[in-house]
Amino acid sequence: MDLASSNYLEDLREMARRAYYWNSFDPEARADSDLASYESQLRQDLEEIPEGKRQQYIESYKSRLSSLFTSKSRCANAMVTGPAKFNFRQNEKRENAYWNKYEEFNLWRERFLAAMKRAQEATRPEEEKQEEAVRLLLKDLEQKAETIHELDTGKLRGYNRALFVGSIYNKVATYASHGEVEIVQRAVDFIAEFNSMVKKPVITARNRFFQLPEIAARMREKLHARKNEENKEAAFEGGKVVWNHEADRLQILFDNIPDDAMRSCLKSNGFRWSPKYKAWQRQLTLNAVYAARRVLNLQDL
C-alpha cells in the first residue's frame, strides 16, 4: 500500500462541501482545506498501523468522518444564512452535537492507535525492548550528567545540583526495583565512565547510586521467588481479590461493573483497570493490600 500517493478521502469531497454549505462563505475551499488536513492525519496514522490492520482503520476512519461531516451539515452560521428567523437555540444544540462527535472521533483514534502500539510492543523481542530502554535511559543520564558538569565548572548557574543527582538516582532506582540488573549495571557503568572524564565526579563513589546493581540483583531474586508462589484469592460480596504473584499485581475483580464512585475510589488508591486481566490492579505490595482494605471496607483481607 503506497501511503504517500493514496487519496483515501476523495469520495467524501461532496459530503465535506455540504457540511459547510450553511456555515462557510466558501464551502468548497473549506472542504478542500479540511479534507487535506484529515488526509494528512490518516496517512500519518497508517504509518503506525500494521499493514494487516490498515484497511480496517481506513474504513472506520471514513465512516466516522462521514458521520462527523453529516453532523456539521446540520449546523449553520447566521452570518451566512442571514439573521432573519435564525433559530439560535436549535443551532446551539446542533453545534454541541457536532463537537461531541468530534471528541468521540478523536478519542476513537487515540484508543485505536494505542491498541496498535501495545500490540506491536508485545511482539517485539525482549532483547530489542531492553536495548531501546537502555538507549533512552543513557540519553537522559547523559543530559543530566552534562548539566551537573556545567554547574560544577561554572558554565551554568541558577540550578540545584542535588536535584539533578537525585533525578539520576531515582531514574535508575526504578529499574533496580524491577530487578533489571543489566540495565542498572549499564547505567552505573555510564556514570562511572563519565566521572573518569571530568575533574569533579557528577556522582561520588560514596553515593548509594553505585549500590544499585546489588539492589537490582536482590530484587530479581525476590521477584523470581515470588513468581513461584501460588496465587491466593479472597472473596467479598460482589467480587474477589487476587494475589497474582506471576504478574506481581494485587487484583480486584468485580462481578459487575463498579459504579462511578467506586471507580473513582479505586483510581485515587492507585488501582488501574487492566483489559488483559479484566481486573483493577496495582503492584503487589503491603501498601496495595492496605489500599484494597480501604476501598472495599474489608478488615480481614
Side-chain angles (χ1 to χ4, degrees), residues 252-278:
I252 303 177
L253 290 81
F254 293 92
D255 295 337
N256 299 301
I257 298 175
D259 58 26
D260 290 343
M262 174 56 76
R263 292 200 298 271
S264 177
C265 185
L266 287 161
K267 291 177 183 178
S268 65
N269 280 275
F271 289 91
R272 295 294 179 266
W273 173 250
S274 168
K276 177 180 178 180
Y277 292 104
K278 308 297 183 186

Side-chain angles (χ1 to χ4, degrees), residues 16-213:
R17 187 192 66 79
R18 290 197 302 269
Y20 296 107
Y21 189 80
W22 294 112
N23 48 62
S24 174
F25 288 110
D26 193 343
E28 290 191 12
R30 181 64 186 274
D32 288 345
S33 174
D34 270 23
L35 278 178
S37 177
Y38 282 118
E39 186 78 47
S40 175
Q41 181 185 74
L42 177 55
R43 289 177 181 173
Q44 290 177 7
D45 290 352
L46 291 174
E47 291 178 356
E48 302 179 27
I49 297 174
E51 190 168 353
K53 292 286 187 179
R54 286 177 181 173
Q55 191 58 41
Q56 174 192 346
Y57 185 77
I58 292 169
E59 292 172 1
S60 295
Y61 189 99
K62 292 177 68 174
S63 175
R64 291 170 184 273
L65 184 57
S66 297
S67 178
L68 194 60
F69 283 148
T70 299
S71 181
K72 187 63 175 176
S73 69
R74 300 190 183 104
C75 304
N77 187 317
M79 295 290 291
V80 177
T81 65
K85 298 183 180 180
F86 188 85
N87 193 328
F88 288 94
R89 180 172 295 182
Q90 183 185 68
N91 193 64
E92 182 180 12
K93 290 180 180 179
R94 291 175 174 176
E95 285 283 357
N96 289 337
Y98 165 75
W99 285 112
N100 286 337
K101 278 192 173 295
Y102 182 79
E103 292 297 328
E104 290 173 6
F105 175 76
N106 285 319
L107 183 59
W108 165 77
R109 279 187 60 245
E110 291 173 5
R111 287 176 173 172
F112 192 103
L113 294 174
M116 292 298 98
K117 187 173 183 179
R118 288 195 299 270
Q120 288 179 309
E121 186 67 17
T123 61
R124 288 176 62 193
E126 285 301 319
E127 297 80 2
E128 183 180 323
K129 287 191 280 188
Q130 187 176 79
E131 195 58 38
E132 176 67 8
V134 170
R135 185 186 68 79
L136 294 174
L137 175 62
L138 295 186
K139 182 179 179 180
D140 182 65
L141 298 189
E142 182 178 21
Q143 292 174 343
K144 289 182 171 65
E146 288 286 358
T147 300
I148 295 171
H149 177 60
E150 289 181 359
L151 288 169
D152 291 341
T153 56
K155 293 181 180 179
L156 187 65
R157 299 181 184 277
Y159 293 93
N160 188 327
R161 185 185 194 280
L163 291 179
F164 288 97
V165 174
S167 179
I168 291 177
Y169 176 85
N170 292 334
K171 192 96 173 182
V172 181
T174 298
Y175 286 99
S177 68
H178 295 153
E180 299 282 1
V181 178
E182 293 79 11
I183 295 178
V184 172
Q185 188 61 61
R186 288 182 65 175
V188 169
D189 290 345
F190 175 84
I191 293 298
E193 183 179 357
F194 193 97
N195 281 347
S196 69
M197 297 185 295
V198 295
K199 185 175 181 180
K200 180 179 179 179
V202 295
I203 300 180
T204 64
R206 298 188 304 275
N207 193 292
R208 56 181 178 166
F209 172 81
F210 290 97
Q211 299 171 10
L212 288 176

Side-chain angles (χ1 to χ4, degrees), residues 186-253:
R186 288 182 65 175
V188 169
D189 290 345
F190 175 84
I191 293 298
E193 183 179 357
F194 193 97
N195 281 347
S196 69
M197 297 185 295
V198 295
K199 185 175 181 180
K200 180 179 179 179
V202 295
I203 300 180
T204 64
R206 298 188 304 275
N207 193 292
R208 56 181 178 166
F209 172 81
F210 290 97
Q211 299 171 10
L212 288 176
E214 298 174 14
I215 295 173
R218 290 197 298 270
M219 182 55 68
R220 173 176 284 183
E221 293 178 3
K222 182 178 179 181
L223 291 174
H224 181 72
R226 181 181 293 175
K227 284 183 178 180
N228 292 328
E229 294 182 32
E230 291 187 7
N231 291 348
K232 183 175 74 170
E233 296 184 1
F236 63 89
E237 186 176 353
K240 62 181 178 181
V241 179
V242 176
W243 281 254
N244 190 329
H245 294 287
E246 184 177 0
D248 191 29
R249 292 293 182 269
L250 184 73
Q251 301 170 327
I252 303 177
L253 290 81

